[in-house]
Coordinates of all heavy atoms in Angstrom, one line a residue:
R75 N 0.3 -52.4 5.6 CA -0.5 -53.5 6.1 C -1.0 -53.2 7.5 O -0.3 -52.5 8.2 CB 0.3 -54.7 5.9 CG 0.5 -55.2 4.6 CD 1.6 -56.3 4.4 NE 2.9 -55.7 4.7 CZ 4.1 -56.4 4.7 NH1 4.1 -57.7 4.3 NH2 5.2 -55.8 5.0
A76 N -2.1 -53.8 7.9 CA -2.8 -53.6 9.1 C -1.8 -53.8 10.3 O -1.9 -53.1 11.3 CB -4.0 -54.3 9.3
K77 N -0.9 -54.7 10.2 CA 0.0 -55.0 11.3 C 1.0 -54.0 11.6 O 1.7 -54.1 12.7 CB 0.7 -56.4 11.0 CG 1.6 -56.4 9.8 CD 2.3 -57.7 9.5 CE 3.1 -57.7 8.4 NZ 3.8 -59.0 8.1
N78 N 1.1 -52.9 10.7 CA 2.1 -51.8 11.0 C 1.4 -50.4 11.1 O 2.1 -49.4 11.0 CB 3.1 -51.8 9.9 CG 4.0 -53.1 9.9 OD1 4.5 -53.4 10.9 ND2 4.1 -53.7 8.7
I230 N 10.4 -57.7 3.3 CA 10.3 -59.2 3.1 C 9.1 -59.6 2.3 O 8.0 -59.2 2.7 CB 10.4 -60.0 4.5 CG1 11.7 -59.7 5.2 CG2 10.2 -61.4 4.3 CD1 11.7 -60.2 6.6
I454 N 14.5 -53.2 11.4 CA 14.1 -54.1 12.4 C 14.5 -55.5 12.0 O 14.8 -55.7 10.8 CB 12.6 -54.0 12.6 CG1 11.8 -54.3 11.4 CG2 12.1 -52.6 13.1 CD1 10.3 -54.4 11.5
S455 N 14.4 -56.4 12.9 CA 14.7 -57.8 12.7 C 13.7 -58.4 11.7 O 12.5 -58.0 11.7 CB 14.8 -58.6 14.0 OG 13.5 -58.7 14.6
A456 N 14.1 -59.5 11.1 CA 13.2 -60.2 10.2 C 11.9 -60.7 11.0 O 10.8 -60.8 10.5 CB 13.9 -61.4 9.5
E457 N 12.2 -61.2 12.2 CA 11.1 -61.8 13.0 C 10.1 -60.6 13.4 O 8.8 -60.8 13.3 CB 11.6 -62.3 14.4 CG 12.5 -63.6 14.2 CD 13.9 -63.3 13.7 OE1 14.3 -62.0 13.7 OE2 14.6 -64.1 13.2
D458 N 10.5 -59.4 13.7 CA 9.6 -58.4 14.0 C 8.9 -57.9 12.7 O 7.7 -57.6 12.8 CB 10.4 -57.2 14.5 CG 10.8 -57.4 16.0 OD1 10.4 -58.3 16.6 OD2 11.5 -56.4 16.5
E459 N 9.6 -58.0 11.6 CA 8.9 -57.6 10.3 C 7.8 -58.4 10.0 O 6.7 -58.1 9.4 CB 10.0 -57.4 9.3 CG 9.4 -56.8 8.0 CD 10.5 -56.6 7.0 OE1 11.6 -56.6 7.3 OE2 10.1 -56.3 5.7
M460 N 8.1 -59.8 10.1 CA 7.1 -60.8 9.7 C 5.9 -60.7 10.7 O 4.7 -60.8 10.2 CB 7.6 -62.2 9.8 CG 8.7 -62.4 8.8 SD 8.2 -62.3 7.1 CE 7.1 -63.8 7.0
A461 N 6.1 -60.5 12.0 CA 5.0 -60.5 12.9 C 4.3 -59.1 12.8 O 3.0 -59.1 13.1 CB 5.5 -60.7 14.3
G462 N 5.0 -58.1 12.5 CA 4.3 -56.7 12.4 C 4.8 -55.9 13.6 O 4.8 -56.4 14.8
M463 N 5.1 -54.7 13.4 CA 5.7 -53.9 14.4 C 4.6 -53.4 15.5 O 5.0 -53.1 16.6 CB 6.4 -52.6 13.8 CG 7.8 -52.9 13.3 SD 8.6 -51.4 12.7 CE 7.8 -51.0 11.2
D464 N 3.4 -53.4 15.1 CA 2.4 -53.1 16.1 C 2.4 -54.1 17.2 O 2.3 -53.6 18.4 CB 1.0 -53.1 15.4 CG 0.7 -51.9 14.6 OD1 1.7 -51.2 14.4 OD2 -0.4 -51.8 14.0
L465 N 2.6 -55.4 16.9 CA 2.6 -56.3 18.0 C 4.0 -56.4 18.8 O 4.0 -56.5 19.9 CB 2.3 -57.8 17.4 CG 2.3 -58.9 18.3 CD1 1.1 -58.8 19.4 CD2 2.1 -60.2 17.6
T466 N 5.1 -56.4 18.0 CA 6.3 -56.6 18.6 C 6.9 -55.3 19.2 O 7.8 -55.4 20.1 CB 7.3 -57.1 17.5 OG1 7.5 -56.2 16.5 CG2 6.8 -58.5 17.0
R467 N 6.6 -54.1 18.7 CA 7.2 -52.9 19.1 C 6.2 -51.9 19.9 O 6.7 -51.1 20.6 CB 7.8 -52.1 18.0 CG 8.9 -52.8 17.2 CD 10.1 -53.1 18.1 NE 11.2 -53.9 17.5 CZ 12.3 -53.3 17.0 NH1 12.5 -52.0 17.1 NH2 13.3 -54.0 16.4
F471 N -2.2 -54.6 18.4 CA -2.6 -54.1 17.1 C -3.5 -52.8 17.1 O -4.0 -52.5 18.1 CB -3.4 -55.2 16.4 CG -2.7 -56.4 16.0 CD1 -2.8 -57.7 16.8 CD2 -1.7 -56.5 15.1 CE1 -2.1 -58.8 16.4 CE2 -0.9 -57.6 14.7 CZ -1.1 -58.7 15.5

Side-chain angles (χ1 to χ4, degrees):
R75 291 165 290 180
K77 62 183 181 180
N78 293 311
I230 296 173
I454 59 174
S455 66
E457 293 78 13
D458 284 359
E459 187 174 345
M460 294 297 292
M463 283 188 282
D464 285 4
L465 180 63
T466 61
R467 298 295 178 104
F471 293 109

